[in-house]
Amino acid sequence: MIKFHPSARQLSDFVEGTLSPAISLMVSAHCDMCEKCQRRVEIETESLAAEMVSSVSAKMDNTIDTSFQFGDMLSQITALPSGKQSDLGSYCEVEYQEPFNKDNSRRLQAGVSTIELDGRTFTLPRTLHRYIDKTGNWSSLVGKLWQAPVDLGNQGVANFIFMGSGGSVPEHTHRGTEYTLVIDGEFSDGLGRYDTGDFIFMDGEKTHTPRAEGKEGCLVFSIVDQPLHFTSGLARLLNPFSHLFFR
């Protein structure tokens, strides 16, 4: 059961298009997996559309007098004798064209919806399908961890991270922010327990130790804007090289 969601403000900003591209990607992927947030986005979208229609209607009311004046002028012009009308220049017909109908990129990518690791197949939320061919090779890290970088273009770099059963990321905090979406499985970090579909935000005010306790391990999709800062034991020796991990 999904217990962790984007905030109401984040969902509103997502609908209005004011989130950063990377965070918008995470929210969209979460909504693919969460009916509750999906419905909230639908309601917010309908409300925003209604506001826009109301605004346009108000502007049209303010210019209705101008429209009538233009209509009167057009009537006078068309009532002119043909000789005088020709003095105004030739009449040019504008051919109507159907609006350009763009193909839905998600539909084009529908045939590719999974990634694989060590013989296991994981189904991704629809939003992430277009990034499958931009995902790098898996590399093995310490503590039963595997990482595959995802090229987001000018949005930055994300990672698929798989924690095998009992695998963990050493205790750390964050120099910036970290957004995590649980794709498959569950894990805990000393602050909470997270299940498939959960949307998790971390920053420098929190210290945690993610650990997969289930038999099947856990796959997450993560975006960080600064390297991790390890805070415990020998892992602190990794800090000079932390920009190489999950970044």
Side-chain angles (χ1 to χ4, degrees):
M1 178 180 177
I2 299 175
K3 296 182 293 183
F4 296 89
H5 308 266
S7 67
R9 180 72 262 172
Q10 285 174 323
L11 289 175
S12 294
D13 290 345
F14 172 70
V15 171
E16 295 171 5
T18 57
L19 284 179
S20 70
I23 307 310
S24 182
L25 173 69
M26 294 292 284
V27 172
S28 179
H30 169 78
C31 289
D32 289 340
M33 306 176 74
C34 177
E35 292 184 0
K36 177 181 177 180
C37 289
Q38 194 175 91
R39 181 55 185 155
R40 177 68 180 269
V41 165
E42 290 174 355
I43 293 173
E44 292 268 359
T45 301
E46 292 170 359
S47 176
L48 180 61
E51 290 178 10
M52 294 176 67
V53 170
S54 177
S55 176
V56 170
S57 297
K59 290 181 180 178
M60 290 180 66
D61 290 341
N62 291 334
T63 59
I64 192 167
D65 290 338
T66 304
S67 298
F68 278 128
Q69 292 173 9
F70 177 77
D72 292 340
M73 182 182 68
L74 185 61
S75 297
Q76 294 174 16
I77 292 174
T78 56
L80 288 172
S82 58
K84 293 183 179 180
Q85 187 174 357
S86 62
D87 293 339
L88 299 174
S90 59
Y91 178 79
C92 297
E93 293 187 358
V94 179
E95 181 182 358
Y96 174 77
Q97 296 181 353
E98 291 289 340
F100 180 69
N101 183 19
K102 294 183 179 180
D103 290 333
N104 188 320
S105 60
R106 288 178 176 174
R107 187 169 53 191
L108 293 176
Q109 296 291 337
V112 183
S113 61
T114 62
I115 59 174
E116 296 183 359
L117 170 64
D118 198 25
R120 291 189 59 186
T121 299
F122 300 94
T123 300
L124 301 182
R126 184 174 54 182
T127 296
L128 300 183
H129 291 181
R130 64 183 180 272
Y131 293 102
I132 291 176
D133 61 352
K134 298 177 182 178
T135 301
N137 295 326
W138 289 97
S139 58
S140 178
L141 305 176
V142 296
K144 296 184 180 180
L145 299 178
W146 286 264
Q147 171 196 29
V150 181
D151 183 4
L152 302 181
N154 58 10
Q155 301 175 37
V157 177
N159 287 281
F160 285 112
I161 300 170
F162 181 77
M163 295 178 283
S165 180
S168 65
V169 180
E171 181 185 272
H172 64 275
T173 186
H174 303 87
R175 295 187 175 98
T177 59
E178 175 188 68
Y179 287 87
T180 300
L181 178 65
V182 183
I183 302 296
D184 187 281
E186 58 185 29
F187 76 93
S188 62
D189 65 353
L191 301 176
R193 300 183 66 87
Y194 313 102
D195 207 338
T196 300
D198 277 336
F199 178 97
I200 308 153
F201 169 74
M202 294 287 168
D203 58 18
E205 296 181 358
K206 300 173 183 177
T207 299
H208 65 154
T209 309
R211 179 182 178 85
E213 298 173 346
K215 294 181 180 179
E216 301 300 322
C218 183
L219 176 69
V220 304
F221 181 73
S222 179
I223 297 178
V224 296
D225 58 8
Q226 294 291 331
L228 307 184
H229 181 72
F230 297 104
T231 57
S232 178
L234 294 177
R236 288 179 294 181
L237 299 176
L238 297 174
N239 283 325
F241 314 100
S242 61
H243 63 284
L244 301 175
F245 301 94
F246 317 126
R247 184 73 173 91

